[in-house]
Amino acid sequence: MPIDTTPNAAIQRSLRQCLSNAAFMLYQQGHVLETITIPFRGLDGSALRQLREASREWPACQQVLESSEAAVYNEHGRFVLTAMGRELLFDMFGQGAADCA
């Protein structure tokens, strides 16, 4: 079976890898997935700073999530996943991992 090497496929793999890494980094810092999957919650500036300080990988992961439109800042200025980001997370980790049943 040939491997899809199109730019879109590479972005999709990168995004899925970032979501997986983000979940791991969140758990390491005492957060749960609902922190970023529930639109009115999210990570505030302090939590994002702690993640950046705790992991060299977080800034790149956050950039991929934002540039792919899988994550945004909500109306309260908190970092959350978009509907597309939640759907990907749901596809990867199952119904219990995200708020989109």
Side-chain angles (χ1 to χ4, degrees):
M1 173 180 273
I3 296 174
D4 188 350
T5 58
T6 62
N8 195 32
I11 291 168
Q12 183 79 280
R13 281 190 300 277
S14 178
L15 179 53
R16 287 179 182 273
Q17 183 65 43
C18 276
L19 283 168
S20 178
N21 289 344
F24 177 71
M25 289 182 264
L26 286 169
Y27 285 128
Q28 282 187 316
Q29 293 300 307
H31 296 282
V32 294
L33 287 177
E34 286 80 4
T35 303
I36 60 171
T37 60
I38 298 174
F40 61 84
R41 287 193 66 188
L43 296 166
D44 64 13
S46 175
L48 288 170
R49 191 171 33 263
Q50 289 173 348
L51 283 164
R52 283 192 300 272
E53 291 170 358
S55 174
R56 295 180 311 200
E57 295 175 25
W58 180 262
C61 185
Q62 183 178 343
Q63 175 62 36
V64 168
L65 292 171
E66 288 181 49
S67 65
S68 66
E69 299 180 358
V72 295
Y73 288 89
N74 67 13
E75 63 274 2
H76 305 290
R78 293 171 170 260
F79 187 74
V80 296
L81 294 180
T82 62
M84 187 259 300
R86 289 189 304 273
E87 184 65 28
L88 281 172
L89 192 70
F90 171 77
D91 287 346
M92 292 169 52
F93 295 110
Q95 186 174 359
D99 63 317
C100 50

